[in-house]
Amino acid sequence: MGEIDPRKIMDLPADILMHWQAFINIQNEPLPDAPERDTSPPVGNKPMTEEELFEANVRIIGYG
């Protein structure tokens, strides 16, 4: 629905219009390419067994 009377928009303080203009400019900027991250697991770590995971969680919670 926008404002029908454009004079009302021009009566707004300049800083409000500048904030909206900056917001719209930011929205229209293309996103920078994110650097590729290495998601491989660290070398030398073996997967934990169910029992090891349970014990680790109990230690974290503070019951062990």
Side-chain angles (χ1 to χ4, degrees):
M1 295 258 158
E3 180 59 54
I4 296 173
D5 189 0
R7 291 175 293 186
K8 290 183 181 178
I9 294 174
M10 295 306 295
D11 288 339
L12 291 172
D15 63 334
I16 291 176
L17 296 175
M18 290 170 62
H19 282 88
W20 275 107
Q21 194 173 34
F23 174 77
I24 290 169
N25 288 341
I26 289 171
Q27 293 295 318
N28 291 333
E29 285 182 6
L31 294 176
D33 292 334
E36 202 164 314
R37 297 183 353 181
D38 181 23
T39 57
S40 61
V43 178
N45 286 352
K46 65 178 180 77
M48 295 176 81
T49 64
E50 290 285 326
E51 187 174 322
E52 290 171 332
L53 284 172
F54 178 77
E55 290 172 0
N57 287 325
V58 169
R59 273 195 312 274
I60 291 170
I61 294 172
Y63 292 114

